[in-house]
């Protein structure tokens, strides 16, 4: 991922938070916790991952829309861009 240090740090922070939340979900399942609590926490993990993905796209759009991130890379087609954004939806 290419971007400024603050953006990269923010993405890594979000991903680490999601990783911790996912570990919590696994622990909750192993402990036999209530389904509602597990699903609530799983939804929080999903939102954290979504936010990290959107942050990556928002901070590195120029790199994300080229095939390999290089200056000479061919821009992605409209269909490829649509697929990229729908992957986060």
């Amino acid at each position: 991922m290419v971007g400024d240090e603050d953006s990269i740090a923010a993405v890594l922070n979000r991903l680490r938070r999601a990783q911790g939340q996912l570990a919590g979900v696994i622990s909750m399942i192993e402990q036999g916790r209530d389904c509602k609590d597990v699903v609530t926490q799983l939804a929080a993990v999903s939102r954290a991952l979504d936010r990290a993905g959107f942050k990556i796209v928002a901070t590195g759009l120029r790199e994300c829309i080229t095939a390999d991130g290089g200056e000479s890379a061919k821009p992605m087609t409209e269909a490829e861009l649509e697929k990229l954004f729908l992957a986060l939806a």
Side-chain angles (χ1 to χ4, degrees):
M1 182 177 143
V2 178
D4 62 82
E5 289 182 27
D6 290 339
S7 296
I8 292 170
V11 168
L12 289 173
N13 195 27
R14 289 172 193 250
L15 291 173
R16 287 186 183 107
R17 186 177 308 128
Q19 184 178 34
Q21 289 172 321
L22 183 57
V25 170
I26 291 169
S27 178
M28 291 172 75
I29 292 171
E30 290 173 343
Q31 295 169 6
R33 297 275 300 270
D34 183 59
C35 179
K36 181 180 176 186
D37 295 337
V38 171
V39 171
T40 299
Q41 287 304 309
L42 195 55
V45 172
S46 180
R47 283 190 305 274
L49 291 174
D50 287 345
R51 287 183 181 135
F54 286 126
K55 181 73 171 173
I56 288 169
V57 172
T59 59
L61 187 57
R62 185 178 314 264
E63 289 77 25
C64 288
I65 63 173
T66 59
D68 66 2
E71 289 295 321
S72 64
K74 188 173 94 178
M76 294 176 82
T77 66
E78 186 175 328
E80 290 170 324
L81 282 170
E82 182 179 347
K83 183 177 180 180
L84 175 67
F85 285 107
L86 288 175
L88 294 171

